[in-house]
Amino acid sequence: MWIERLARDIGALGQAENTTLERALDQMSRAAAFGVPGCSAALVVLWREVEGADGTVRHVVTDYGASHADLSAAFEHQYTTDQGPTVEAVREMARVRVADVLREPHRWPSYTAMAVQCGDRSSITLPSLLSGDGADDRVVTFGVHSGRADAFDEQVVAPLTALLAEHAAAALHTVGRQADVARETAHMRRAMSARTYIDQAKGIIMHARGCDADTAFTALREVAQRNRKRVVDVARDLVMENTAGDESRA
């Protein structure tokens, strides 16, 4: 069945190597736009829950993917005015169905004209919590949209869209964890590189001055403070200068 294939395809996006969050969102929205019957455009939005200074809680956009530029413009209008099916879905944490936005002009007064202009006449939007540790404050909204009124059979499309939203949430959680691991790895590499430069620079100073490691590090720190630079930058410059000197003699 097409829905099972589409759900697998969306879920598989979280398993692909080197898949960024932005790429996964874009691919999910395009897959839904081409795979869901009656759908002419799709929107997948990742939200994070934040608490304001007054204690109120709201959702802010972390990233999103839209299958078409017009739907992207429509969503940005929703987010700016706080009106529309997507922002209502995440605010109420409930399914939002629009049979025809022109038949409900008072539902979102600031959005109706924009929706028609961008071809967003009917839609179904589902929110879904990201699963897993540390994901309790993140929500995915998965929306299928059409430029035609009454484009979706709610009894058929709504539960299927809910399934897609769950698969998208699981996939995006995996992508997020992969991104966290990549950031930690990059941080460790930078830290190891910095430590290597500092240790090499200390060795150069110890050899030149006949001092111990602590005294050499103190000298590095004093130069860094005088020049308003980081210790690792001073160490790197010293190592590069000495390496260049060795290469020229060779």
Side-chain angles (χ1 to χ4, degrees):
M1 187 178 179
W2 67 267
I3 184 64
E4 295 174 349
R5 183 177 65 256
L6 183 56
R8 286 196 301 269
D9 290 345
I10 288 176
L13 292 173
Q15 306 299 325
E17 290 187 21
N18 301 320
T19 297
T20 64
L21 181 61
E22 180 181 4
R23 185 181 301 120
L25 289 165
D26 285 341
Q27 291 176 338
M28 286 176 187
S29 65
R30 287 196 294 269
F34 291 113
V36 177
C39 181
S40 57
L43 177 69
V44 186
V45 185
L46 181 60
W47 308 77
R48 181 176 293 277
E49 189 178 87
V50 298
E51 183 175 344
D54 57 355
T56 59
V57 175
R58 64 188 183 92
H59 289 89
V60 297
V61 174
T62 299
D63 207 342
Y64 74 93
S67 62
H68 295 75
D70 285 347
L71 188 57
S72 178
F75 170 63
E76 290 178 4
H77 184 83
Q78 287 190 60
Y79 193 53
T80 301
T81 62
D82 198 32
Q83 289 191 18
T86 308
V87 294
E88 182 172 310
V90 73
R91 183 170 58 239
E92 303 297 330
M93 285 303 295
R95 183 180 68 195
V96 175
R97 176 179 179 268
V98 181
D100 184 0
V101 71
L102 287 178
R103 293 203 297 263
E104 303 177 86
H106 303 296
R107 191 173 184 181
W108 304 298
S110 297
Y111 181 62
T112 302
M114 184 63 163
V116 174
Q117 178 183 339
C118 294
D120 186 16
R121 287 283 297 275
S122 60
S123 62
I124 296 178
T125 304
L126 278 296
S128 183
L129 291 171
L130 260 69
S131 60
D133 297 337
D136 294 340
D137 62 342
R138 289 185 291 172
V139 179
V140 176
T141 51
F142 195 99
V144 291
H145 301 253
S146 176
R148 297 184 296 105
D150 303 308
F152 304 107
D153 182 342
E154 185 176 15
Q155 292 185 342
V156 175
V157 175
L160 299 181
T161 305
L163 175 63
L164 295 179
E166 291 177 2
H167 278 264
L172 290 173
H173 175 63
T174 302
V175 172
R177 292 192 64 179
Q178 290 175 345
D180 290 341
V181 171
R183 281 193 295 269
E184 290 176 3
T185 301
H187 177 73
M188 289 180 63
R189 287 174 179 168
R190 288 194 297 269
M192 292 173 65
S193 176
R195 179 62 182 269
T196 298
Y197 278 121
I198 290 172
D199 285 346
Q200 289 177 347
K202 284 163 56 178
I204 293 170
I205 296 173
M206 291 165 63
H207 177 74
R209 299 187 179 182
C211 61
D212 59 20
D214 289 340
T215 303
F217 182 77
T218 299
L220 276 175
R221 188 171 57 193
E222 289 175 350
V223 173
Q225 290 173 345
R226 284 198 304 269
N227 293 276
R228 296 183 180 180
K229 298 174 68 174
R230 298 182 306 167
V231 171
V232 65
D233 293 334
V234 172
R236 184 184 296 108
D237 291 344
L238 180 58
V239 171
M240 297 302 291
E241 288 174 5
N242 280 264
T243 301
D246 292 341
E247 291 177 351
S248 63
R249 287 192 294 271

